[in-house]
Amino acid sequence: MNRASTSEEEPRWLTEEEQRVWRSYVHAATLLEDHMDRQLQRDAGMPHVYYGLLVRLSESPQRRLRMTELAMHAKITRSRLSHAIARLEKNSWVRREDCPDDKRGQFAVLTEQGTEVLRRAAPGHVTAVRNAVFDRLTPEQQKALGEAMQIIAEGLQPNEAGADLPWLR
Amino acid sequence: MNRASTSEEEPRWLTEEEQRVWRSYVHAATLLEDHMDRQLQRDAGMPHVYYGLLVRLSESPQRRLRMTELAMHAKITRSRLSHAIARLEKNSWVRREDCPDDKRGQFAVLTEQGTEVLRRAAPGHVTAVRNAVFDRLTPEQQKALGEAMQIIAEGLQPNEAGADLPWLR
DNA sequence: AGAGGCTCATTGAAAATTAAACCAAACTGA
DNA sequence: TCAGTTTGGTTTAATTTTCAATGAGCCTCT
């Protein structure tokens, strides 16, 4: 049943057109991620992923989230999150707190200073996103992009199909 | 003139809809990159970027490219490429060669073994891309995705607009 | 010829990420 | 109750990436 996935059979190669699409995608995704990383590194002293963590915390009740929950939202491993939070803790942008209900548990809590950093970095970030993406695409193109990515994401969701579960490995 | 870009002025925040699009994008892009990295790491013993380097070399005349050229195509810094090639050289998948015309220059050359690794890894990779992307999108959606990403990439091209030049920094 | 400024590429150290091992607490079932 | 398993999270080491500095060769201009 799973023979096809590991066999030597000739796969269905990508057509010219599919290749163009895939390469455009990889190309743009690389450039975009680089761009955001650099912008945030310059303006806020952290990479895009870290910024995402702070944003997520800022939107959570009590501006706090359990480690695993945060990792799931951010789609990163718990290990990576541990390291990241350690770094953010050094910056005093995040603080850890024990979970009363579960003695194994930890909360990551956004500090005042973290909130402040976010407040100052947000405008530049939105502007960067707008310049790079929304100012260049028609509303239809934006919609189409969103839909396509949505579908792709669904296919890679760790639930269903029991594929790889980054944060559960 | 450049005041707006660094001032404290209120930016045009993203609308609800724009946010949804942007988050879908980031979400899917993260998942996808993770997925490819893991697939290639498992099946070919290298991350996606390294695989891209080998592919690019395999498509080049004489299966070789100058370091800077390769870095540009791959959109990575020369430094990063140096390290990457060093690693690939240890695997004997790539070999360095001096450039006769320019004594500063180096070619990265895909070896026989590199070619072989590529040959064995390619089917799995195409299949992974197909499963994750093309099997899930209609031809129209594929086209739209390609176009949107194409436009975004153009806006981030290092040439014109003299923005940041990753490999020239 | 040779001073000065690029360009090509590498290096070494620091930061970030991944992979795997690990510990402690919580749960499960006999 | 207690052995075995799962869950939550950290730790260590290895790999990869970034950052800043360096050096050698090319190019231009005088």
Side-chain angles (χ1 to χ4, degrees):
Chain A
M1 176 197 176
N2 62 352
R3 178 164 169 268
S5 66
T6 53
S7 79
E8 305 268 338
E9 284 175 39
E10 197 66 7
R12 276 158 53 225
W13 298 103
L14 299 186
T15 65
E16 282 286 321
E17 187 47 28
E18 286 168 335
Q19 276 204 40
R20 256 198 300 287
V21 171
W22 177 241
R23 293 198 182 201
S24 289
Y25 171 80
V26 173
H27 182 165
T30 307
L31 253 33
L32 199 45
E33 180 58 12
D34 261 35
H35 188 67
M36 293 305 148
D37 266 349
R38 213 172 335 274
Q39 182 265 320
L40 283 169
Q41 190 66 55
R42 176 163 47 70
D43 297 356
M46 66 189 132
H48 193 198
V49 185
Y50 288 32
Y51 181 82
L53 296 175
L54 298 193
V55 169
R56 182 64 68 171
L57 288 178
S58 79
E59 292 169 340
S60 302
Q62 319 291 326
R63 296 192 315 223
R64 81 190 48 211
L65 231 39
R66 287 286 297 270
M67 294 296 279
T68 295
E69 229 176 324
L70 182 50
M72 287 194 318
H73 284 310
K75 268 100 40 199
I76 62 179
T77 59
R78 293 209 284 302
S79 169
R80 183 171 173 186
L81 182 63
S82 255
H83 291 298
I85 293 296
R87 195 269 220 187
L88 292 172
E89 215 171 10
K90 269 188 206 158
N91 287 285
S92 304
W93 295 340
V94 167
R95 150 174 46 89
R96 279 181 226 248
E97 249 177 58
D98 292 343
C99 175
D101 307 344
D102 186 337
K103 283 176 191 164
R104 296 166 304 181
Q106 289 278 101
F107 281 107
V109 187
L110 188 64
T111 63
E112 264 317 314
Q113 299 151 71
T115 309
E116 186 51 27
V117 168
L118 213 44
R119 177 158 31 238
R120 277 206 283 267
H125 183 58
V126 203
T127 301
V129 172
R130 204 173 260 304
N131 288 341
V133 179
F134 294 101
D135 285 351
R136 303 184 179 273
L137 300 179
T138 67
E140 297 77 44
Q141 289 175 320
Q142 297 174 18
K143 184 152 173 280
L145 176 63
E147 280 171 10
M149 294 309 270
Q150 177 72 43
I151 292 172
I152 291 173
E154 278 160 17
L156 297 169
Q157 273 328 339
N159 59 18
E160 78 160 341
D164 28 29
L165 319 177
W167 48 85
L168 288 183
R169 274 187 341 209
Chain B
M1 178 200 175
N2 62 353
R3 179 165 168 269
S5 66
T6 54
S7 79
E8 306 268 340
E9 284 174 37
E10 196 68 8
R12 277 158 54 228
W13 298 104
L14 298 186
T15 66
E16 281 285 321
E17 188 45 28
E18 286 169 334
Q19 277 205 37
R20 255 197 301 284
V21 171
W22 178 241
R23 294 200 181 202
S24 290
Y25 171 80
V26 174
H27 181 165
T30 308
L31 253 31
L32 201 45
E33 180 59 12
D34 261 36
H35 189 67
M36 293 305 148
D37 264 348
R38 210 167 343 270
Q39 184 263 319
L40 283 168
Q41 190 66 57
R42 177 164 47 71
D43 297 357
M46 67 190 132
H48 193 197
V49 186
Y50 288 28
Y51 181 82
L53 297 176
L54 297 194
V55 169
R56 182 65 68 170
L57 288 178
S58 79
E59 292 170 340
S60 301
Q62 319 291 327
R63 295 191 318 223
R64 80 190 48 210
L65 231 38
R66 288 285 298 268
M67 294 297 280
T68 295
E69 228 177 324
L70 183 49
M72 288 194 317
H73 284 310
K75 269 98 47 198
I76 63 180
T77 60
R78 292 209 283 308
S79 169
R80 184 173 171 184
L81 181 64
S82 258
H83 290 298
I85 292 296
R87 194 272 220 190
L88 292 172
E89 215 171 10
K90 268 188 206 157
N91 287 285
S92 304
W93 295 340
V94 167
R95 148 175 48 91
R96 280 180 227 250
E97 249 175 58
D98 292 343
C99 175
D101 307 344
D102 186 338
K103 282 177 190 165
R104 295 165 304 178
Q106 288 281 102
F107 282 106
V109 187
L110 188 63
T111 63
E112 263 317 313
Q113 298 150 72
T115 308
E116 186 50 29
V117 168
L118 214 44
R119 177 158 32 236
R120 276 206 283 267
H125 183 58
V126 203
T127 301
V129 172
R130 202 171 261 305
N131 287 341
V133 179
F134 294 101
D135 284 352
R136 303 185 179 273
L137 301 179
T138 67
E140 297 77 43
Q141 288 174 322
Q142 297 174 17
K143 184 151 174 279
L145 175 63
E147 279 170 11
M149 294 309 271
Q150 177 72 43
I151 293 172
I152 292 173
E154 277 160 17
L156 296 169
Q157 267 336 331
N159 60 18
E160 80 162 340
D164 28 29
L165 318 178
W167 48 85
L168 289 183
R169 275 189 341 214

